[in-house]
Amino acid sequence: GPEALSDGAVLMRGFAVSETDALITGIESVATQAPFRRLMTPGGKPMSAAMTNCGAAGWVSDRRGYRYEACDPQTGRPWPEMSDGFRDLAVEAARLAGFEDFTPDACLINLYEPGARMSLHQDRDETDLSQPIVSVSLGLEAVFLWGGMARTDPTQKIILRHGDVVVFGGASRLRFHGIAPLKPGRCPGIGARRYNLTFRRAI
Ligand code: MD5
Ligand code: FE
């Protein structure tokens, strides 16, 4: 069952495994309409994970900074809709973690190939920080680096595997975190990659 990691953070091992096929089909449908791309950091370097979004808002980064946008800057069209299946999974996970009123309007989808990583950061571009972030891992496992409230705080390593769901809310909402370089490997049906869906209340 749900495992409390710390204040406001709950790990649900394998919670999304039974939804694997629907989630992968959903990701492929989103990517057909809004292709995965490597965004530029404000400093001008391409991120190593590729990203896309679905929902009313999508997270973007470029030379002007980080923000949420209603339209995909690459296509000029609204981001693909967040399906009921995606939303229901995230709302149910948040509810089981004690967040009754989660109303996600954005789903950022990260695609990691072996070697891709995400450096330590906080997620603070959202308007309502009382709402949690729900993270769903699919495919290859990753070493999740979990820090504290300051960038220099020590980090814990937590392995996130296929189907794991983590709800980050409360005092954990603004903790620094990252992903260590993905190790090589392959996963049946998914291949040599990891997807992470992060459901957010952005606007
Ligand atoms: C990932 N993605 O595995 C992670 C999972 C991102 C990102 O970090 O920003 O796309 S989400 C992990 C997360 C979210 C909010 C708070 C905390 C972790 N935390 O307090 O550790 O691709
Ligand atoms: Fe993050």
Side-chain angles (χ1 to χ4, degrees), residues 110-126:
N110 296 317
L111 165 58
Y112 298 83
E113 291 181 333
R117 59 193 288 274
M118 192 175 286
S119 55
L120 275 188
H121 68 279
Q122 292 171 298
D123 289 28
R124 53 188 310 161
D125 302 318
E126 301 76 26

Side-chain angles (χ1 to χ4, degrees), residues 108 110 112 118 121 123 133 135 144 146 168 172-173 175 177 179 194 196 198 200:
L108 169 64
N110 296 317
Y112 298 83
M118 192 175 286
H121 68 279
D123 289 28
I133 289 180
S135 154
F144 175 63
W146 207 28
F168 295 98
S172 295
R173 179 66 179 72
R175 285 174 72 157
H177 58 278
I179 295 287
R194 170 179 186 257
N196 186 263
T198 55
R200 299 137 185 270

Side-chain angles (χ1 to χ4, degrees), residues 25-36 52-54 79-81 86 107 109:
T25 302
I27 292 167
E28 288 169 351
S29 165
V30 168
T32 302
Q33 304 164 72
F36 282 101
T52 187
N53 293 273
C54 62
W79 296 104
E81 277 193 53
F86 274 35
C107 174
I109 309 173

Side-chain angles (χ1 to χ4, degrees), residues 132-153:
I133 289 180
V134 175
S135 154
V136 179
S137 294
L138 296 169
L140 290 177
E141 70 178 39
V143 177
F144 175 63
L145 305 170
W146 207 28
M149 297 303 294
R151 186 180 294 279
T152 52
D153 287 347

Side-chain angles (χ1 to χ4, degrees), residues 41-66:
T41 64
K45 292 177 189 162
M47 295 187 183
S48 73
M51 298 177 184
T52 187
N53 293 273
C54 62
W59 187 84
V60 297
S61 173
D62 60 21
R63 298 301 301 230
R64 289 156 50 210
Y66 305 135

